[in-house]
Structure formats: C-alpha cells, structure tokens
Amino acid sequence: MATDTQSHSSPRKAPVAPRASKAEAKPEYITAYGATAPLKMAPAIGGKLGLSVQHNPATINVVQHDLMMQRGYAQAENAADSAPGVSSGGGPGSPAQLMMRGFTGNQILTLRDGVYFGPTTMVNRPQNTFNLESVQILKGPASVLYGQGAVGGTVDMRTRDPRFDGPHANALVSYGSFNTWNAGVGGSVPITQTLAIRADFSRTSSDGFVKGADPHSNDLTTTLLWTPSEKFTARLSMDYLTDRLSTYYGTPLVDLSQTGGRVGGLLSSTKGLGITRASLWRYYNVRDGKAGSVNATPTLHLDWHVSDHVLLHNTSYFIYSKRRWNNAESLSYISKSGAIDAAGTPISPGRIARDRFYVYQNQHQVGDTLYSRFDFSVLGISNRLVAGGDAYYLRFIRNRGFPDAGYADSVSLASPEQTELGSFAGEYPFKKSPTTMVQAGLFLEDVATIRDNLRVVGGFRYDWLSLDRQNYNQNGQFASGSSFKGHYNPNNFRIGPVYDLTKNVSLYGVYTTGEDPPGSNLFLANKGQFSRLSRARQGEIGLKASLWQGRFTTTLAFYDIRRTRVLVTTGPDTVATAGVQKSRGLEWQGDLAVTHHFSLSGNVGYTYSRYGSFHPSASVDASGNQVPNVPAITANMWGIWSRVYDLPLDLGAGLRYVSARKGDYANTLTLKDYAMVNVFAGWHAYKGITVYGRIDNIGNKRFIQWADTGYSGQLLLGAPRSFSISAQADF
C-alpha cells in the first residue's frame, strides 16, 4: 500500500507551500461557493506526483468539508454518493459499501489519510464527516498507486490539519427525525510559530428509521503539525473511533401468493417474491444485537525538501481494531411445513426463521512507506520522478460461530418478537481463523512535460505478497483441508497522455492494469477458492475544462474495464470465483456559477456491467447476467441560491435518481428505480454561525437501498422522509 506526498493539501489551508517545478506548476486554489473541487487543486488521492486534477489522466472527485456541512452529509458514504456513478449501501457484515464503475465491495478500496486498513467490506466503518477535510474519489483501477484491489475506484477520507494563522474553532449540533443527534466540536491552535495542534470530536446517535437499530459512533481525531523550517514538516495524528452499527439487517422477502399485502414500487420478482405492508419498517433482529468496534490509528508523516528539486517522504502507521458482531442476521420466510429450529421445535409456515451468527475480529497492522521525488530535465524535457517502496504486516484473527441447526428460532412476520440473543447448541466454542498477510512493494511514478501543452504520465509497481490463511475447527484442531499459504507477485502499470487544448481545457487518455487479490473478501477464502491473482485492465479517455472565466467547470470520461478471476461473496461465509466481469460507461460532472448568488451542480453516470462465465452455485448460471446492485444510470443535481434578496438566507434543493438494479446473481429480482428530492434553508444568524433546516426524501419515496447477495432472503430499505435542524459555528 502507498501513501502520498501532499498528504493534506487543501484549498483552505496549506501550512507549507508545495514547491513548484517545471514538471508541474504550483497548484492554484479557487473557491466557488457550493461547488465541488476545481481543476487546479492537487488532491492527495491522485498520486505522489502532485498533479492537479486537470493534468492527472484519471477521473477524480473531491467533496470538501464546507460542502459536506452545507448539504448535511453526516457520513462519508453520503458525500461519496454525490459523485457521478457512485452509490452506497451495506449488509450485516459489510456496513459501508460503495459501487463504482460496476464494481462493489472489496473491489472499491477505502483509505484513511492514504492508509489501507484491509478488506473494505470487513473492516470499513461509517465515518463522521465533521472530522474530515474532504472525501476524495479516484475512479478505476489504482493498483499502481496503492497496491490493492481497487478496480472500481478508491475513496480516501482526509482528516483536517492544524493552521498557523491563528486559533480557529468549529462546532456543530443537529437534531432530526428518529431521535437522530449529530454533534461535533473542534479547533486548531498554533502553539508556537512552528508547532500547531488540531483536535476534532464528533458523535452521532439515532434510534434508526427502523426502530431498534440504534446506531451511534464517537470519533476523536488529534493532529500535531511541526514545521521547524520551510524544508521540513512532521505531522503526527491519532484517530480513535468507537461505534455501534445499525443492527437493522433487512426486511424479509416473502411468497406473495401466500401472504398478499404487497408493497408496490419497491421490486419485482420472477419467483413471486416481495415485501409486505405488514413487514415494512419492522425490526427482525434480536433485541440485544451487537455490532460494535474500537479503532485506533496513529500515523506519522515526514516531509523533507532536501533541495528545490528533491523531496523525501516517509509515512509510518499502526492500526489496532477490535470488532464484535452477535446477531440474528439471516432471515428466511418459511413457506411450507417441515422446518425446525435449533430446539427441535417445528416452525409454522408464514413465520420468519432466523439464524445466529457471531464474529469477533482483532486486527493489528503496522506499515511504512518511503519515497523520493526528483525534478530534473532530460534533453530539454522537464520531468518529475517518484521512486520508493512500502511494506506492511497485517495480522487478522477472526473467531465465529453458528448454531448446529439451519435455523436458530423464528418470529412472526407482522409482529416479530423482541427476543434476546439466547444460546444455541453448536455455537461454542467458536471457530478460529487467523490470517497473516505481509506485503512489500516497489513503485515508480513519472510525468514528462514534452511541451507546455503535452504531458505523459506513467507508473509501475511490483509487489511481493505472502498470505497465510489458517482455519481451526471448534475443537481447536487445525483444519488443513481449508487452510492454505500463498506467495504472489503482482505487477501493474499505467500510462497516459494529457493534452491541453487551451490553458483551461485538457484531453487525456490512460491505460491501467490491475493484478491483485480477487474482488471479494480475501479473509473468507479457503483452500481451492483462491489460487491466482485477479487481473484487470482499463482504458479511459476524457475531457476536463474550466470555462466562462472559471464559472463553469466540467469533466467527461468514457471507460472500459475487464476483470478476470473475480472472487464474489455467495453466502455469509462463502465465496465463489466469477470468470470475467466487464464494465463500460461514461461519467459527466458539471458545476456552474450562474450568478454570484446562484449555482448549479449536476452529474450523470451510465454503467453497463455484466458477468462472463459465472456459476455462483450448482443451481445458478449467472453467465452474462447484470451485476447485482449496479444501476445503469445514477444522476444528481443541486441548486443553491445564496443571500436570497440580499438577506442572510440560503436556499437549496437536490435531486438524486438511481435506475433499476438487480438484487441477485440469477437476475430474478429487480430493485425498482427511485428519485429523491432534498431541500434545505440556511440562516446566517451571526458572523460565523449558520442555522440550517433540512428535509430529506421530501416525497417520502419508498425504495430498496441495497441487496446483500450473501443474504438472499432479505433486502435493506432506504430511509423514509426525515427532517433535521442544525446549527454550525466557524470562528
């Protein structure tokens, strides 16, 4: 995995100015109220070369802190949804998943300040946006930059830096529907002329739109920034997160021929399945369900400008995480007699049978990245070269258990009993699966400025990956039949030109490869399921432009991706190999400042994603089928009218559209399209203080948020109409 040199460059603050070179001009920062990041900024997610968005041959979206606060994005996944072609969801064991360019789950890489945590679906947590400076999104394969399975895209959540221009304070308090509270307090203080500190604490809590889920989280981020000279910077940070995830794991699918009472507008099924009015917004988990974690991540970033042409960078980090689940996760509608629960009691037709599943995870990870950046000329061609290496050691221990029976117990469809967890035969002792992964990599990045209007960007990475996947039975005996060891040597490259038609309009093309662990959770794979690395390649062409004196910024990209030997999740604890997954489409983003007080932002993503030869089970042939949870079209539009009639009032409205998706590998289940409208009003009550009122999903549209293919008997509903009122202060 890799980190970056411009770790926390921001359009609002830069403690140490980045050094200019002939290879890449010093970033220009332009602030447009209500708009996304301009093309001249150089986000960290774009790589270590310090390229601006305009001159990076890739699709990059950056959602900054002020915009997240204005639109009311409480969690990073909400912010990511605002980018073209992105949608989010989650399942019982994978609470924060994203879809990009036709790929989901672990095929989307999630970073925290450039640091890789492990398989996304297993370790990613919903992140509070108050502590973040930005959510940065890079589309397409990024194995060259980060050495991990990021074929669909990469999301980096960047925390906020201290400032040296005086003390600053920020606060947020919000209350809304379902007894939802969001609060945050933070500030930056320069201790001396060379030492500054920033701390941010945020908390979210709710009863959940399905009452009983009760999610909450606490996030404390502290950063110490030391700049003893213009040539040296040290940044020491610590993020400490504790949370309890929502324990709403879905609404059961039932046989409508037996139950009737279908809720329209949600889905269609070739098997006659659906969701009934009696089950809408019901909580089918146990009353004392558990899904919590503790996460601590100290990191140290060092930058030394040896000269005007040489930079040395080092990042060291440690990750400690403890996660606990203990729930009734899988729901099954019983359509005929004959089923029994763990106690041997018959389950009556029409009831909802439940499993029990617990998993305890402990993760320890330590890593380091070291690289140099050189600016030089060869035969009159300006060049910037990055060369370095990184390594990490990851120890992941997963303990889990199931009852011996297929069903632990059952509850009523219309009025599920609020039972306790209970204890069932066969749950204990747990099965233990420790996994050790060691990775080391060498990488090169380069940008050659052939002419003032022509750049060629390239990169290469070679890795050594060692995996030791062990399983132990409930009696503690080593399970040699499912355990395995492997050694792999992925190598990847990217190459692409960027041509400036004018100073503010650029065309680009890029070819990128990705060879890395398969797309599903590597820590679920057993012997025989994973033998060779997955391979991917992407071709992309695009346009980036800033027009009308910077008042209109737009990007357009066309891409084609092919990935082979893809590992996909087919059950709560099982995976299968899909031969090929293909995806192609286009993404457009536009931001227009119509006047000084009125702005429009919008984007559209079109995605065509299909499997090649794929048999997820003996009874299902999904070859040629549409990939689950991938809509053909996503679209967002925002309009903001600031200082309405010169009053201290802002008005805004947003529209989000998601087209129909498939909910299973066999494509028998179709999740219907939906559109939602959100509105807000902001009153600038005093200098630095703004009060917001919001209504989300104002039309109270019912929709399916996500279909977890590992839990085929249930679907996760989206949130109904909700309101909130908040106060934000920035001094």
Side-chain angles (χ1 to χ4, degrees):
M1 77 115 275
T3 53
D4 51 86
T5 177
Q6 296 193 358
S7 302
H8 290 260
S9 58
S10 156
R12 299 196 296 127
K13 55 184 184 294
V16 178
R19 294 173 178 264
S21 75
K22 294 180 180 179
E24 181 62 29
K26 178 179 177 179
E28 303 170 23
Y29 296 127
I30 303 169
T31 300
Y33 186 77
T36 52
L39 301 183
K40 301 299 182 182
M41 73 175 299
I45 199 170
K48 305 168 187 65
L49 292 168
L51 297 171
S52 67
V53 173
Q54 180 179 345
H55 292 141
N56 201 315
T59 299
I60 297 175
N61 302 103
V62 180
V63 186
Q64 300 178 66
H65 177 85
D66 290 345
L67 190 60
M68 290 188 282
M69 294 298 99
Q70 183 189 63
R71 293 183 180 174
Y73 299 146
Q75 294 181 325
E77 293 73 28
N78 306 133
D81 276 347
S82 68
V86 179
S87 59
S88 65
S94 309
Q97 294 192 59
L98 293 168
M99 186 288 301
M100 295 182 200
R101 296 195 168 179
F103 296 88
T104 61
N106 291 294
Q107 298 174 99
I108 308 298
L109 183 64
T110 300
L111 309 174
R112 178 82 170 193
D113 285 337
V115 172
Y116 166 72
F117 271 48
T120 299
T121 55
M122 185 169 280
V123 307
N124 195 32
R125 318 295 289 188
Q127 297 287 336
N128 301 344
T129 54
F130 182 83
N131 300 51
L132 302 180
E133 180 57 44
S134 64
V135 174
Q136 303 185 5
I137 302 166
L138 173 68
K139 301 291 186 60
S143 301
V144 172
L145 300 179
Y146 298 107
Q148 287 296 331
V151 63
T154 301
V155 179
D156 193 0
M157 291 167 280
R158 314 295 300 190
T159 54
R160 306 170 78 180
D161 267 344
R163 297 172 63 170
F164 287 92
D165 58 348
H168 296 268
N170 315 94
L172 165 70
V173 62
S174 171
Y175 178 77
S177 300
F178 323 119
N179 196 31
T180 299
W181 287 91
N182 291 302
V185 61
S188 172
V189 178
I191 301 172
T192 69
Q193 290 185 341
T194 62
L195 185 65
I197 189 171
R198 178 174 187 95
D200 293 282
F201 174 79
S202 60
R203 174 176 171 81
T204 67
S205 65
S206 177
D207 290 344
F209 63 87
V210 175
K211 191 172 179 60
D214 301 334
H216 62 75
S217 67
N218 301 285
D219 196 355
L220 174 63
T221 306
T222 303
T223 301
L224 194 65
L225 188 63
W226 182 44
T227 57
S229 71
E230 292 185 356
K231 294 182 177 294
F232 184 80
T233 300
R235 181 185 184 276
L236 177 64
S237 66
M238 174 66 163
D239 185 76
Y240 183 77
L241 170 70
T242 64
D243 63 17
R244 180 187 188 272
L245 301 174
S246 169
T247 50
Y248 164 63
Y249 290 152
T251 300
L253 287 165
V254 302
D255 186 342
L256 294 171
S257 66
Q258 297 183 7
T259 64
R262 172 180 176 267
V263 178
L266 289 178
L267 60 97
S268 62
S269 168
T270 61
K271 296 183 176 181
L273 303 178
I275 290 175
T276 68
R277 296 185 187 92
S279 63
L280 209 60
W281 316 123
R282 301 292 184 186
Y283 182 72
Y284 289 90
N285 200 349
V286 291
R287 182 170 59 193
D288 52 347
K290 296 176 175 61
S293 73
V294 177
N295 308 270
T297 313
T299 60
L300 176 63
H301 299 265
L302 303 175
D303 285 284
W304 178 28
H305 290 272
V306 181
S307 70
D308 289 342
H309 304 287
V310 180
L311 167 74
L312 290 178
H313 174 88
N314 190 83
T315 292
S316 302
Y317 65 90
F318 177 75
I319 297 171
Y320 167 78
S321 292
K322 179 185 291 186
R323 309 176 191 94
R324 298 290 184 267
W325 282 267
N326 198 349
N327 301 278
E329 295 192 351
S330 182
L331 309 176
S332 301
Y333 175 77
I334 301 301
S335 60
K336 57 185 179 181
S337 58
I340 59 173
D341 63 19
T345 305
I347 303 176
S348 302
R351 287 178 67 83
I352 301 301
R354 309 184 301 185
D355 71 348
R356 287 294 189 278
F357 176 67
Y358 67 86
V359 59
Y360 306 147
Q361 298 174 2
N362 287 281
Q363 177 181 347
H364 299 82
Q365 182 176 338
V366 60
D368 190 84
T369 298
L370 175 65
Y371 66 82
S372 300
R373 192 178 72 190
F374 306 94
D375 294 322
F376 57 93
S377 295
V378 177
L379 300 176
I381 298 176
S382 298
N383 220 73
R384 172 171 285 184
L385 174 68
V386 170
D390 56 43
Y392 68 82
Y393 169 89
L394 190 158
R395 178 69 170 174
F396 193 96
I397 300 175
R398 179 173 179 262
N399 303 323
R400 72 223 185 265
F402 305 85
D404 282 339
Y407 305 120
D409 62 1
S410 67
V411 293
S412 165
L413 172 65
S415 301
E417 298 86 358
Q418 293 301 295
T419 56
E420 302 286 348
L421 271 169
S423 181
F424 298 90
E427 284 188 288
Y428 297 97
F430 48 69
K431 297 179 180 180
K432 185 175 182 179
S433 295
T435 301
T436 302
M437 189 157 64
V438 179
Q439 181 165 348
L442 296 176
F443 52 82
L444 295 171
E445 289 186 62
D446 186 82
V447 54
T449 304
I450 309 299
R451 299 200 308 259
D452 288 343
N453 63 346
L454 178 61
R455 296 166 175 80
V456 177
V457 180
F460 176 78
R461 181 182 176 96
Y462 187 88
D463 283 281
W464 294 265
L465 174 64
S466 175
L467 179 70
D468 185 359
R469 175 83 166 88
Q470 299 179 6
N471 289 316
Y472 291 86
N473 298 323
Q474 286 181 292
N475 60 7
Q477 185 178 16
F478 178 67
S480 58
S482 59
S483 302
F484 69 96
K485 294 181 180 180
H487 301 277
Y488 315 95
N489 299 107
N491 61 91
N492 299 289
F493 73 92
R494 76 164 178 164
I495 186 73
V498 181
Y499 178 71
D500 296 342
L501 295 175
T502 70
K503 180 181 179 181
N504 297 311
V505 180
S506 298
L507 292 171
Y508 72 90
V510 67
Y511 184 84
T512 309
T513 68
E515 185 181 22
D516 42 42
S520 191
N521 195 332
L522 188 59
F523 294 168
L524 291 181
N526 292 317
K527 188 175 182 178
Q529 295 175 331
F530 168 59
S531 58
R532 292 187 295 169
L533 297 173
S534 174
R535 296 185 62 87
R537 60 102 181 113
Q538 175 188 261
E540 178 178 344
I541 58 173
L543 169 73
K544 302 177 183 181
S546 179
L547 307 170
W548 202 10
Q549 297 179 332
R551 294 168 63 181
F552 178 57
T553 300
T554 186
T555 61
L556 177 66
F558 298 86
Y559 64 87
D560 184 275
I561 304 174
R562 178 183 174 88
R563 192 176 201 194
T564 60
R565 298 195 295 270
V566 183
L567 203 66
V568 296
T569 302
T570 57
D573 205 41
T574 58
V575 293
T577 300
V580 177
Q581 184 175 339
K582 299 172 286 187
S583 181
R584 60 179 180 268
L586 65 86
E587 295 162 347
W588 173 83
Q589 169 83 36
D591 299 287
L592 173 64
V594 181
T595 68
H596 184 66
H597 296 290
F598 187 72
S599 63
L600 289 172
S601 299
N603 58 62
V604 176
Y606 168 77
T607 305
Y608 176 90
S609 188
R610 297 291 187 273
Y611 287 117
S613 176
F614 177 38
H615 296 77
S617 68
S619 60
V620 176
D621 181 2
S623 302
N625 283 2
Q626 185 174 332
V627 179
N629 289 308
V630 178
I633 298 174
T634 60
N636 298 283
M637 179 174 287
W638 279 90
I640 297 176
W641 185 9
S642 61
R643 306 295 176 177
V644 177
Y645 295 119
D646 291 325
L647 295 173
L649 173 68
D650 297 342
L651 298 176
L655 169 69
R656 175 165 177 80
Y657 173 76
V658 177
S659 68
R661 301 145 289 156
K662 297 301 181 182
D664 61 345
Y665 293 121
N667 284 187
T668 64
L669 194 64
T670 300
L671 316 180
K672 293 194 174 181
D673 64 335
Y674 64 90
M676 292 190 301
V677 175
N678 306 322
V679 297
F680 77 83
W683 181 263
H684 301 279
Y686 187 73
K687 184 178 181 180
I689 299 177
T690 304
V691 178
Y692 285 102
R694 311 180 193 277
I695 303 177
D696 294 330
N697 192 5
I698 194 170
N700 201 28
K701 175 65 177 177
R702 294 173 178 172
F703 65 99
I704 303 296
Q705 177 75 19
W706 199 258
D708 192 318
T709 53
Y711 295 81
S712 58
Q714 63 225 58
L715 296 170
L716 283 93
L717 299 174
R721 178 172 52 228
S722 63
F723 81 91
S724 67
I725 185 168
S726 64
Q728 299 176 18
D730 296 278
F731 303 105

